[in-house]
Amino acid sequence: MAGCRPVTITMLALAAAAAVGAANLASAAPLALVGSIPVGPVVGQITDLEFDYANQRLFVLERDSSAIAVIDLPSETITQAMGGLKAPRGLAHEPPNGQLYLALGDGKLVVLQGAPLRRTASLNIGSDLGPPYYDASSTRVYIAYDHRAISVIDTAHN
């Protein structure tokens, strides 16, 4: 791919704080590099990351190349690459049902699920979608659209 450059995702871990509490936050240890995972050629920036803790996967949105890479964290390998996405805007992972919400530039919110990821639903939201946000307390996904509206999706029924 012309203009591609190899990219590595750097994992950082926060060292344990000497004491717990808001008063001791200033004394917390600095971040320390614990490893890195090469993700191969990427055009432009990586614009969004989402974790699937249950399956130990990292979802990497490469907005400029219109692709998502799925990284298996234990093996530190790319297990899936989904390209040809229509102007992706952002990701939101919903753990209870294992769904990944992907906002696209054509006004659709796509629901992906499984390993490998597969499309299970597509919701027509509206123009000018922003990135989706998952709220764990309500198990809903929120997404702004049309510059002045917000759509609320019940993740149990989409």
Side-chain angles (χ1 to χ4, degrees), residues 49-119:
L49 300 171
E50 286 291 324
F51 288 96
D52 174 3
Y53 294 102
N55 297 301
Q56 297 183 357
R57 297 184 296 177
L58 175 66
F59 305 111
V60 179
L61 176 61
E62 302 166 9
R63 187 179 205 173
D64 294 337
S65 60
S66 299
I68 295 175
V70 180
I71 298 173
D72 177 71
L73 294 173
S75 67
E76 298 182 359
T77 59
I78 297 173
T79 58
Q80 185 179 1
M82 300 177 70
L85 305 171
K86 293 184 180 186
R89 306 298 173 109
L91 300 171
H93 183 252
E94 179 265 346
N97 297 306
Q99 299 177 121
L100 182 67
Y101 290 81
L102 167 65
L104 297 175
D106 62 359
K108 291 187 172 127
L109 185 64
V110 174
V111 183
L112 305 165
Q113 199 169 12
L117 288 176
R118 67 189 186 317
R119 186 180 294 210

